Amino acid sequence: MTDRRFEMESALRAAVAERVGESRFGLWFGDGVRLGVDGDALTVGVPNRFFRDWIKGKYAGELASVGEAVSGRRLELAFEVADELEPGVDEVSPSPEGPPPDDRRRGPTVPIALPSSPGGWPSPSPSPGPPVDRPRSRRGRPLRRLEEFVAGPGTRLALAACGEMAEAVGATFNPLVVHGGVGLGKTHLLEGVAQAVSRRHPGARVVHQTAEAFTNGFLESMRSGTLNAFRSRSRSADVLILDDVHFLAAKRATQDEFQHAFDALVSSGAAVVLASDQHPRLIPKLTDELATRLLGGMVVKLEAPDPTTRRAILKAKAASRGVDLPDAVAAYIADHLRASVRELEGALHSVLAHAGLTGKRLDLDLARSALRDTIRHTAQAIALKDIERAVSTLFDLPAEGLKSDSRARAVTHPRMLAMYLARKHTGAAYSEIGRYFGGRNHSTVISAEKKVRCWLADEQRQSLLAGFETVGDVLAAVERSLGT
Ligand SMILES: Nc1ncnc2c1ncn2[C@@H]1O[C@H](COP(=O)(O)OP(=O)(O)OP(=O)(O)O)[C@@H](O)[C@H]1O
């Protein structure tokens, strides 16, 4: 059933776009934001509190005028925050004094354009075009660009935030944390920010490394008595980009060092961009001091791409290799491989290699034959019921026991393990897992995942089951029976 509150949405959106301009509209009123009229209220549905605070601080006046113009009466603003994380997780505080964002994102396959900088470092020529000397990754390949990132509903906000970061370098929000599962484009986005900053602000010093390299550099400098040099290097950046922040989990000394570097950088006006495979609140054994800092800017999640976006990614990747991928082939790959973009890339690579080696036409038959083994393997992917069965068997619980209302530890602990394994081995969303295991909500699954990670990080923690030494051993036993 359609929600009658949103009957006037298109008129409201058109009027807001008219007032705030296409580019700002694209960033702040894109897919995740809804506009509707409910009685005397103009309802503004936003993805998280960051958006609520930003829109309230910057656009309340425009929204009130638009509401009145479209509905013919004065409306109060009412925000609905659809934050998918547990309450308190996304407590972010934007600094509404920053310059307005100006991103030109339009649709799933349209690359964003980054307008020229308002100031700061000397700007390059107004029409950037492909840079002659494209910055390279440590492995010598050119850095991926934001324009090459194909956004869909679950990644558009992250792309827009990275575009804004590359443009305003921390003046709009700081830090930016991008988090999400394996192979969903975190490194690509970070490289894109590094590349765009270098292009937009050629004088800027961009330090771009992994948390592991930061950790190794720190430990080595302690060992060799060169801590001062390490500090002056890591604290003199204009933009610090740190990948795989979850690597800092349980590394107390490195966390402290990074926290001081972070404070020094932010107080000198530098921008910080981070990626992690988990939300900062879920990284085990991260000090509260550091977690709070990471949550102090914008935290944005990358979701796995939907089928339309998967197809668009495949088409774009093939086009970048000069291949016009037939729709049927793109659809076949996109429908069978869903876990990550890296997996899609691998499949595309196999299909193109197969075509090249056999000289056959690139069509559905060729794709089927090239991917037969890969897809057979994926078809055996783990389902929620497999995890339920494996955990119940190991803990000797009755069928449906994990879905029951029982609050006894003998049931709640295995249920938490099952939820953790479901996140790890299936593509299911928090809400889907919660529903499956007895109609629970997504925050229960988030808490379960966090709890299990703490158990795993705690070496003193006893296992949950007689006969096993650690929680890790219990999980390994379940995973063995799942055939992973
Ligand atoms: N939306 C996208 N559009 C285009 N390419 C993408 C997209 N998402 C991911 N990719 C590509 O998929 C590959 C894997 O992405 P990337 O390495 O950035 O993932 P990641 O999230 O950092 O993974 P990991 O957690 O394993 O480090 C890269 O080649 C990247 O360019």
Side-chain angles (χ1 to χ4, degrees), residues 54-242:
W54 185 273
I55 291 176
K56 209 190 254 176
K58 285 284 189 179
Y59 298 114
E62 270 96 349
L63 286 175
S65 317
V66 163
E68 190 168 351
V70 172
S71 71
R73 57 188 192 278
R74 284 187 79 80
L75 301 174
E76 295 290 315
L77 285 191
F79 285 86
E80 283 181 6
V81 182
D83 194 343
E84 71 137 23
L85 283 169
E86 65 200 315
V89 153
D90 215 358
E91 287 279 9
V92 288
S93 46
S95 64
E97 290 77 39
D102 197 15
D103 158 61
R104 297 188 196 286
R105 167 181 55 87
R106 287 207 170 83
T109 59
V110 179
I112 65 162
L114 302 168
S116 59
S117 161
W121 300 285
S123 283
S125 69
S127 94
V132 182
D133 182 17
R134 191 163 163 183
R136 289 176 176 269
S137 72
R138 278 180 308 282
R139 291 197 180 142
R141 108 181 121 62
L143 290 182
R144 297 181 186 101
R145 300 166 61 138
L146 293 179
E147 290 84 347
E148 292 160 349
F149 190 89
V150 180
T155 50
R156 206 166 281 154
L157 176 57
L159 176 62
C162 288
E164 174 59 18
M165 181 49 104
E167 179 58 28
V169 278
T172 310
F173 41 76
N174 199 19
L176 168 63
V177 181
V178 178
H179 69 103
V182 168
L184 294 185
K186 300 180 294 294
T187 301
H188 184 137
L189 287 176
L190 260 50
E191 286 186 11
V193 173
Q195 195 275 338
V197 169
S198 306
R199 193 177 67 196
R200 291 272 152 203
H201 311 284
R205 188 173 128 71
V206 179
V207 173
H208 179 192
Q209 60 184 169
T210 61
E212 183 174 4
F214 180 89
T215 306
N216 293 341
F218 170 56
L219 297 178
E220 173 58 24
S221 71
M222 297 238 285
R223 200 189 55 72
S224 58
T226 53
L227 194 53
N228 284 343
F230 171 81
R231 286 186 172 153
S232 70
R233 259 197 321 277
S234 58
R235 297 177 191 191
S236 62
D238 296 312
V239 182
L240 173 70
I241 299 180
L242 198 73

Side-chain angles (χ1 to χ4, degrees), residues 181-432:
V182 168
L184 294 185
K186 300 180 294 294
T187 301
H188 184 137
L189 287 176
L190 260 50
E191 286 186 11
V193 173
Q195 195 275 338
V197 169
S198 306
R199 193 177 67 196
R200 291 272 152 203
H201 311 284
R205 188 173 128 71
V206 179
V207 173
H208 179 192
Q209 60 184 169
T210 61
E212 183 174 4
F214 180 89
T215 306
N216 293 341
F218 170 56
L219 297 178
E220 173 58 24
S221 71
M222 297 238 285
R223 200 189 55 72
S224 58
T226 53
L227 194 53
N228 284 343
F230 171 81
R231 286 186 172 153
S232 70
R233 259 197 321 277
S234 58
R235 297 177 191 191
S236 62
D238 296 312
V239 182
L240 173 70
I241 299 180
L242 198 73
D243 206 346
D244 297 336
V245 166
H246 51 269
F247 184 83
L248 298 181
K251 296 184 177 61
R252 181 65 204 245
T254 315
Q255 286 179 28
D256 287 347
E257 180 62 25
F258 178 65
Q259 182 194 314
H260 293 306
F262 180 97
D263 288 346
L265 285 163
V266 170
S267 67
S268 71
V272 181
V273 187
L274 308 158
S276 164
D277 68 2
Q278 290 156 283
H279 189 284
R281 278 255 183 261
L282 298 176
I283 299 176
K285 299 207 169 174
L286 196 67
T287 61
D288 277 348
E289 292 85 346
L290 186 50
T292 314
R293 282 163 175 80
L294 301 193
L295 295 169
M298 187 164 188
V299 179
V300 58
K301 184 174 182 194
L302 282 180
E303 304 279 359
D306 64 354
T308 311
T309 314
R310 289 202 294 276
R311 268 178 246 152
I313 291 173
L314 286 162
K315 293 276 230 179
K317 297 268 174 202
S320 73
R321 296 167 68 169
V323 175
D324 182 14
L325 192 69
D327 289 348
V329 176
Y332 179 74
I333 303 177
D335 289 348
H336 286 88
L337 300 167
R338 286 170 236 157
S340 80
V341 179
R342 191 174 288 121
E343 189 181 64
L344 287 180
E345 275 187 338
L348 177 67
H349 182 73
S350 301
V351 170
L352 298 186
H354 209 76
L357 291 173
T358 60
K360 287 189 184 157
R361 209 154 59 101
L362 176 53
D363 59 12
L364 190 53
D365 282 345
L366 178 120
R368 281 207 178 102
S369 129
L371 297 177
R372 191 175 300 121
D373 287 347
T374 315
I375 287 176
R376 198 169 37 225
H377 183 68
T378 311
Q380 292 163 359
I382 295 166
L384 293 174
K385 67 174 171 2
D386 301 324
I387 291 176
E388 182 192 10
R389 197 178 306 127
V391 172
S392 303
T393 307
L394 189 69
F395 282 84
D396 204 15
L397 291 172
E400 303 286 303
L402 292 177
K403 292 177 174 166
S404 72
D405 288 338
S406 172
R407 288 169 176 268
R409 280 189 180 183
V411 175
T412 56
H413 284 174
R415 189 189 294 132
M416 285 193 257
L417 293 183
M419 289 175 168
Y420 169 87
L421 288 167
R423 281 299 291 174
K424 186 170 169 195
H425 293 292
T426 75
Y430 287 117
S431 50
E432 192 181 343

